[in-house]
Amino acid sequence: MKENEIIEGKIDVIQRNLDFLEEYKHIDEDTFLNSYKDVQAVKYSLLEIIEACLDIASHIISARGFERAESYAEMFDILGRRGIISKELAEDMARFRNILVHGYAKVDNARVLEIVKTELSDVVEFVRQILRKL
């Protein structure tokens, strides 16, 4: 499979989840917090998004022979240093990943909804910058 096909497959996963999360941008916080099913669905979609972003980063790093990342967050840093994405976006993506992964089990569900409502633009920008470099 060519580099572009692999990355485009991961972008499809991201886009499908972003589309799903769109309906939650306008949900009332109490309604969201009182629905275990909605909370779990949103958390899972966010995890799928970040996993796909990490897969894209890992694939680009490997395919282009960039230095090995010592952590997931460093993958975004490498893409930033190598001009694949902006350095600012690299920092934002690492922060986004850390919020989701490190706090998944204990994260405040209201914070999860806040991420959906205010922080998904970083993911959209990540996809835009990756596609621009393909």
PDB file of all heavy atoms in Angstrom, residues 24-36 38-39 108-115 117:
ATOM      1  N   TYR A  24     -22.669  16.379  19.006  1.00  0.00           N
ATOM      2  CA  TYR A  24     -22.456  16.634  20.434  1.00  0.00           C
ATOM      3  C   TYR A  24     -21.986  18.064  20.715  1.00  0.00           C
ATOM      4  O   TYR A  24     -21.934  18.471  21.866  1.00  0.00           O
ATOM      5  CB  TYR A  24     -21.461  15.624  21.018  1.00  0.00           C
ATOM      6  CG  TYR A  24     -22.065  14.253  21.100  1.00  0.00           C
ATOM      7  CD1 TYR A  24     -21.840  13.309  20.106  1.00  0.00           C
ATOM      8  CD2 TYR A  24     -22.894  13.900  22.158  1.00  0.00           C
ATOM      9  CE1 TYR A  24     -22.409  12.049  20.165  1.00  0.00           C
ATOM     10  CE2 TYR A  24     -23.467  12.646  22.235  1.00  0.00           C
ATOM     11  CZ  TYR A  24     -23.225  11.733  21.229  1.00  0.00           C
ATOM     12  OH  TYR A  24     -23.805  10.494  21.297  1.00  0.00           O
ATOM     13  N   LYS A  25     -21.691  18.811  19.683  1.00  0.00           N
ATOM     14  CA  LYS A  25     -21.258  20.192  19.876  1.00  0.00           C
ATOM     15  C   LYS A  25     -22.376  21.079  20.408  1.00  0.00           C
ATOM     16  O   LYS A  25     -22.123  22.135  20.947  1.00  0.00           O
ATOM     17  CB  LYS A  25     -20.700  20.769  18.581  1.00  0.00           C
ATOM     18  CG  LYS A  25     -19.347  20.205  18.224  1.00  0.00           C
ATOM     19  CD  LYS A  25     -18.762  20.895  17.031  1.00  0.00           C
ATOM     20  CE  LYS A  25     -17.348  20.381  16.789  1.00  0.00           C
ATOM     21  NZ  LYS A  25     -16.693  21.111  15.706  1.00  0.00           N
ATOM     22  N   HIS A  26     -23.606  20.616  20.253  1.00  0.00           N
ATOM     23  CA  HIS A  26     -24.759  21.431  20.648  1.00  0.00           C
ATOM     24  C   HIS A  26     -25.596  20.785  21.750  1.00  0.00           C
ATOM     25  O   HIS A  26     -26.654  21.289  22.083  1.00  0.00           O
ATOM     26  CB  HIS A  26     -25.621  21.726  19.422  1.00  0.00           C
ATOM     27  CG  HIS A  26     -24.831  22.319  18.295  1.00  0.00           C
ATOM     28  ND1 HIS A  26     -24.314  23.587  18.336  1.00  0.00           N
ATOM     29  CD2 HIS A  26     -24.420  21.793  17.120  1.00  0.00           C
ATOM     30  CE1 HIS A  26     -23.639  23.833  17.230  1.00  0.00           C
ATOM     31  NE2 HIS A  26     -23.684  22.754  16.478  1.00  0.00           N
ATOM     32  N   ILE A  27     -25.102  19.701  22.306  1.00  0.00           N
ATOM     33  CA  ILE A  27     -25.855  19.009  23.350  1.00  0.00           C
ATOM     34  C   ILE A  27     -25.703  19.748  24.681  1.00  0.00           C
ATOM     35  O   ILE A  27     -24.639  20.296  24.983  1.00  0.00           O
ATOM     36  CB  ILE A  27     -25.401  17.534  23.480  1.00  0.00           C
ATOM     37  CG1 ILE A  27     -26.398  16.719  24.311  1.00  0.00           C
ATOM     38  CG2 ILE A  27     -24.005  17.428  24.058  1.00  0.00           C
ATOM     39  CD1 ILE A  27     -26.120  15.213  24.291  1.00  0.00           C
ATOM     40  N   ASP A  28     -26.748  19.745  25.436  1.00  0.00           N
ATOM     41  CA  ASP A  28     -26.732  20.331  26.771  1.00  0.00           C
ATOM     42  C   ASP A  28     -25.834  19.472  27.673  1.00  0.00           C
ATOM     43  O   ASP A  28     -25.879  18.241  27.624  1.00  0.00           O
ATOM     44  CB  ASP A  28     -28.180  20.362  27.293  1.00  0.00           C
ATOM     45  CG  ASP A  28     -28.265  20.814  28.718  1.00  0.00           C
ATOM     46  OD1 ASP A  28     -28.116  22.027  28.953  1.00  0.00           O
ATOM     47  OD2 ASP A  28     -28.469  19.950  29.595  1.00  0.00           O
ATOM     48  N   GLU A  29     -25.037  20.126  28.511  1.00  0.00           N
ATOM     49  CA  GLU A  29     -24.092  19.403  29.365  1.00  0.00           C
ATOM     50  C   GLU A  29     -24.794  18.398  30.280  1.00  0.00           C
ATOM     51  O   GLU A  29     -24.346  17.258  30.419  1.00  0.00           O
ATOM     52  CB  GLU A  29     -23.266  20.383  30.203  1.00  0.00           C
ATOM     53  CG  GLU A  29     -22.194  19.689  31.026  1.00  0.00           C
ATOM     54  CD  GLU A  29     -21.332  20.655  31.805  1.00  0.00           C
ATOM     55  OE1 GLU A  29     -20.623  21.465  31.179  1.00  0.00           O
ATOM     56  OE2 GLU A  29     -21.377  20.590  33.054  1.00  0.00           O
ATOM     57  N   ASP A  30     -25.898  18.776  30.904  1.00  0.00           N
ATOM     58  CA  ASP A  30     -26.604  17.856  31.801  1.00  0.00           C
ATOM     59  C   ASP A  30     -27.122  16.632  31.047  1.00  0.00           C
ATOM     60  O   ASP A  30     -27.041  15.511  31.549  1.00  0.00           O
ATOM     61  CB  ASP A  30     -27.763  18.562  32.516  1.00  0.00           C
ATOM     62  CG  ASP A  30     -27.270  19.518  33.590  1.00  0.00           C
ATOM     63  OD1 ASP A  30     -26.147  19.321  34.101  1.00  0.00           O
ATOM     64  OD2 ASP A  30     -28.011  20.466  33.908  1.00  0.00           O
ATOM     65  N   THR A  31     -27.657  16.851  29.860  1.00  0.00           N
ATOM     66  CA  THR A  31     -28.149  15.737  29.044  1.00  0.00           C
ATOM     67  C   THR A  31     -26.999  14.785  28.730  1.00  0.00           C
ATOM     68  O   THR A  31     -27.137  13.564  28.849  1.00  0.00           O
ATOM     69  CB  THR A  31     -28.777  16.270  27.739  1.00  0.00           C
ATOM     70  OG1 THR A  31     -29.829  17.167  28.071  1.00  0.00           O
ATOM     71  CG2 THR A  31     -29.299  15.143  26.876  1.00  0.00           C
ATOM     72  N   PHE A  32     -25.865  15.351  28.350  1.00  0.00           N
ATOM     73  CA  PHE A  32     -24.691  14.543  28.031  1.00  0.00           C
ATOM     74  C   PHE A  32     -24.214  13.759  29.245  1.00  0.00           C
ATOM     75  O   PHE A  32     -24.017  12.548  29.183  1.00  0.00           O
ATOM     76  CB  PHE A  32     -23.568  15.445  27.496  1.00  0.00           C
ATOM     77  CG  PHE A  32     -22.290  14.717  27.221  1.00  0.00           C
ATOM     78  CD1 PHE A  32     -22.166  13.882  26.118  1.00  0.00           C
ATOM     79  CD2 PHE A  32     -21.185  14.876  28.055  1.00  0.00           C
ATOM     80  CE1 PHE A  32     -20.983  13.206  25.861  1.00  0.00           C
ATOM     81  CE2 PHE A  32     -19.994  14.212  27.803  1.00  0.00           C
ATOM     82  CZ  PHE A  32     -19.891  13.375  26.697  1.00  0.00           C
ATOM     83  N   LEU A  33     -24.048  14.448  30.363  1.00  0.00           N
ATOM     84  CA  LEU A  33     -23.502  13.811  31.565  1.00  0.00           C
ATOM     85  C   LEU A  33     -24.414  12.729  32.125  1.00  0.00           C
ATOM     86  O   LEU A  33     -23.938  11.797  32.779  1.00  0.00           O
ATOM     87  CB  LEU A  33     -23.219  14.870  32.638  1.00  0.00           C
ATOM     88  CG  LEU A  33     -22.109  15.869  32.288  1.00  0.00           C
ATOM     89  CD1 LEU A  33     -21.994  16.924  33.377  1.00  0.00           C
ATOM     90  CD2 LEU A  33     -20.784  15.175  32.053  1.00  0.00           C
ATOM     91  N   ASN A  34     -25.689  12.827  31.844  1.00  0.00           N
ATOM     92  CA  ASN A  34     -26.643  11.829  32.346  1.00  0.00           C
ATOM     93  C   ASN A  34     -26.848  10.651  31.394  1.00  0.00           C
ATOM     94  O   ASN A  34     -27.679   9.792  31.657  1.00  0.00           O
ATOM     95  CB  ASN A  34     -27.980  12.499  32.666  1.00  0.00           C
ATOM     96  CG  ASN A  34     -27.881  13.336  33.920  1.00  0.00           C
ATOM     97  OD1 ASN A  34     -27.345  12.894  34.934  1.00  0.00           O
ATOM     98  ND2 ASN A  34     -28.373  14.559  33.843  1.00  0.00           N
ATOM     99  N   SER A  35     -26.097  10.638  30.315  1.00  0.00           N
ATOM    100  CA  SER A  35     -26.198   9.541  29.361  1.00  0.00           C
ATOM    101  C   SER A  35     -24.864   8.791  29.293  1.00  0.00           C
ATOM    102  O   SER A  35     -23.926   9.215  28.614  1.00  0.00           O
ATOM    103  CB  SER A  35     -26.559  10.056  27.968  1.00  0.00           C
ATOM    104  OG  SER A  35     -26.478   8.996  27.031  1.00  0.00           O
ATOM    105  N   TYR A  36     -24.800   7.679  30.011  1.00  0.00           N
ATOM    106  CA  TYR A  36     -23.584   6.861  30.008  1.00  0.00           C
ATOM    107  C   TYR A  36     -23.209   6.464  28.581  1.00  0.00           C
ATOM    108  O   TYR A  36     -22.033   6.502  28.211  1.00  0.00           O
ATOM    109  CB  TYR A  36     -23.808   5.619  30.876  1.00  0.00           C
ATOM    110  CG  TYR A  36     -22.604   4.715  30.959  1.00  0.00           C
ATOM    111  CD1 TYR A  36     -21.530   5.031  31.788  1.00  0.00           C
ATOM    112  CD2 TYR A  36     -22.522   3.549  30.199  1.00  0.00           C
ATOM    113  CE1 TYR A  36     -20.412   4.210  31.866  1.00  0.00           C
ATOM    114  CE2 TYR A  36     -21.411   2.729  30.270  1.00  0.00           C
ATOM    115  CZ  TYR A  36     -20.369   3.056  31.104  1.00  0.00           C
ATOM    116  OH  TYR A  36     -19.262   2.243  31.170  1.00  0.00           O
ATOM    117  N   ASP A  38     -23.821   8.028  25.718  1.00  0.00           N
ATOM    118  CA  ASP A  38     -23.239   9.155  24.990  1.00  0.00           C
ATOM    119  C   ASP A  38     -21.815   9.452  25.458  1.00  0.00           C
ATOM    120  O   ASP A  38     -20.926   9.693  24.640  1.00  0.00           O
ATOM    121  CB  ASP A  38     -24.108  10.412  25.139  1.00  0.00           C
ATOM    122  CG  ASP A  38     -25.385  10.343  24.315  1.00  0.00           C
ATOM    123  OD1 ASP A  38     -25.460   9.552  23.349  1.00  0.00           O
ATOM    124  OD2 ASP A  38     -26.323  11.100  24.652  1.00  0.00           O
ATOM    125  N   VAL A  39     -21.606   9.451  26.755  1.00  0.00           N
ATOM    126  CA  VAL A  39     -20.273   9.719  27.293  1.00  0.00           C
ATOM    127  C   VAL A  39     -19.271   8.699  26.755  1.00  0.00           C
ATOM    128  O   VAL A  39     -18.190   9.054  26.271  1.00  0.00           O
ATOM    129  CB  VAL A  39     -20.278   9.730  28.835  1.00  0.00           C
ATOM    130  CG1 VAL A  39     -18.861   9.740  29.392  1.00  0.00           C
ATOM    131  CG2 VAL A  39     -21.075  10.918  29.364  1.00  0.00           C
ATOM    132  N   ASP A 108     -12.788  14.270  33.829  1.00  0.00           N
ATOM    133  CA  ASP A 108     -14.118  14.788  34.093  1.00  0.00           C
ATOM    134  C   ASP A 108     -14.905  14.748  32.785  1.00  0.00           C
ATOM    135  O   ASP A 108     -14.461  15.286  31.764  1.00  0.00           O
ATOM    136  CB  ASP A 108     -13.964  16.228  34.615  1.00  0.00           C
ATOM    137  CG  ASP A 108     -15.264  16.910  34.900  1.00  0.00           C
ATOM    138  OD1 ASP A 108     -16.337  16.335  34.649  1.00  0.00           O
ATOM    139  OD2 ASP A 108     -15.202  18.056  35.382  1.00  0.00           O
ATOM    140  N   ASN A 109     -16.070  14.133  32.800  1.00  0.00           N
ATOM    141  CA  ASN A 109     -16.843  14.000  31.573  1.00  0.00           C
ATOM    142  C   ASN A 109     -17.298  15.349  31.023  1.00  0.00           C
ATOM    143  O   ASN A 109     -17.500  15.485  29.817  1.00  0.00           O
ATOM    144  CB  ASN A 109     -18.034  13.063  31.794  1.00  0.00           C
ATOM    145  CG  ASN A 109     -17.565  11.634  31.975  1.00  0.00           C
ATOM    146  OD1 ASN A 109     -16.520  11.240  31.480  1.00  0.00           O
ATOM    147  ND2 ASN A 109     -18.334  10.854  32.710  1.00  0.00           N
ATOM    148  N   ALA A 110     -17.429  16.331  31.885  1.00  0.00           N
ATOM    149  CA  ALA A 110     -17.730  17.675  31.401  1.00  0.00           C
ATOM    150  C   ALA A 110     -16.555  18.194  30.566  1.00  0.00           C
ATOM    151  O   ALA A 110     -16.755  18.902  29.566  1.00  0.00           O
ATOM    152  CB  ALA A 110     -18.026  18.617  32.567  1.00  0.00           C
ATOM    153  N   ARG A 111     -15.346  17.836  30.956  1.00  0.00           N
ATOM    154  CA  ARG A 111     -14.147  18.226  30.185  1.00  0.00           C
ATOM    155  C   ARG A 111     -14.144  17.533  28.824  1.00  0.00           C
ATOM    156  O   ARG A 111     -13.734  18.119  27.825  1.00  0.00           O
ATOM    157  CB  ARG A 111     -12.888  17.879  30.984  1.00  0.00           C
ATOM    158  CG  ARG A 111     -11.593  18.177  30.269  1.00  0.00           C
ATOM    159  CD  ARG A 111     -11.333  19.677  30.148  1.00  0.00           C
ATOM    160  NE  ARG A 111     -10.046  19.908  29.530  1.00  0.00           N
ATOM    161  CZ  ARG A 111      -9.876  20.475  28.331  1.00  0.00           C
ATOM    162  NH1 ARG A 111     -10.905  20.910  27.649  1.00  0.00           N
ATOM    163  NH2 ARG A 111      -8.664  20.620  27.833  1.00  0.00           N
ATOM    164  N   VAL A 112     -14.619  16.294  28.782  1.00  0.00           N
ATOM    165  CA  VAL A 112     -14.716  15.575  27.510  1.00  0.00           C
ATOM    166  C   VAL A 112     -15.625  16.347  26.556  1.00  0.00           C
ATOM    167  O   VAL A 112     -15.285  16.563  25.386  1.00  0.00           O
ATOM    168  CB  VAL A 112     -15.248  14.138  27.725  1.00  0.00           C
ATOM    169  CG1 VAL A 112     -15.595  13.468  26.407  1.00  0.00           C
ATOM    170  CG2 VAL A 112     -14.230  13.308  28.497  1.00  0.00           C
ATOM    171  N   LEU A 113     -16.766  16.782  27.055  1.00  0.00           N
ATOM    172  CA  LEU A 113     -17.684  17.549  26.219  1.00  0.00           C
ATOM    173  C   LEU A 113     -17.058  18.878  25.801  1.00  0.00           C
ATOM    174  O   LEU A 113     -17.216  19.306  24.650  1.00  0.00           O
ATOM    175  CB  LEU A 113     -19.011  17.784  26.956  1.00  0.00           C
ATOM    176  CG  LEU A 113     -20.110  18.457  26.148  1.00  0.00           C
ATOM    177  CD1 LEU A 113     -20.465  17.643  24.907  1.00  0.00           C
ATOM    178  CD2 LEU A 113     -21.344  18.676  27.015  1.00  0.00           C
ATOM    179  N   GLU A 114     -16.323  19.492  26.692  1.00  0.00           N
ATOM    180  CA  GLU A 114     -15.641  20.753  26.358  1.00  0.00           C
ATOM    181  C   GLU A 114     -14.636  20.537  25.227  1.00  0.00           C
ATOM    182  O   GLU A 114     -14.520  21.371  24.325  1.00  0.00           O
ATOM    183  CB  GLU A 114     -14.931  21.292  27.602  1.00  0.00           C
ATOM    184  CG  GLU A 114     -14.229  22.614  27.380  1.00  0.00           C
ATOM    185  CD  GLU A 114     -13.481  23.068  28.632  1.00  0.00           C
ATOM    186  OE1 GLU A 114     -13.895  22.743  29.754  1.00  0.00           O
ATOM    187  OE2 GLU A 114     -12.463  23.747  28.449  1.00  0.00           O
ATOM    188  N   ILE A 115     -13.925  19.425  25.249  1.00  0.00           N
ATOM    189  CA  ILE A 115     -12.978  19.088  24.177  1.00  0.00           C
ATOM    190  C   ILE A 115     -13.718  19.010  22.845  1.00  0.00           C
ATOM    191  O   ILE A 115     -13.277  19.567  21.840  1.00  0.00           O
ATOM    192  CB  ILE A 115     -12.232  17.768  24.485  1.00  0.00           C
ATOM    193  CG1 ILE A 115     -11.239  17.982  25.622  1.00  0.00           C
ATOM    194  CG2 ILE A 115     -11.522  17.233  23.241  1.00  0.00           C
ATOM    195  CD1 ILE A 115     -10.651  16.700  26.182  1.00  0.00           C
ATOM    196  N   LYS A 117     -16.495  20.399  22.026  1.00  0.00           N
ATOM    197  CA  LYS A 117     -17.039  21.699  21.624  1.00  0.00           C
ATOM    198  C   LYS A 117     -15.965  22.710  21.223  1.00  0.00           C
ATOM    199  O   LYS A 117     -16.244  23.607  20.436  1.00  0.00           O
ATOM    200  CB  LYS A 117     -17.900  22.277  22.747  1.00  0.00           C
ATOM    201  CG  LYS A 117     -19.195  21.501  22.938  1.00  0.00           C
ATOM    202  CD  LYS A 117     -20.064  22.126  24.005  1.00  0.00           C
ATOM    203  CE  LYS A 117     -21.396  21.388  24.091  1.00  0.00           C
ATOM    204  NZ  LYS A 117     -22.364  22.083  24.925  1.00  0.00           N
TER     205      LYS A 117
END
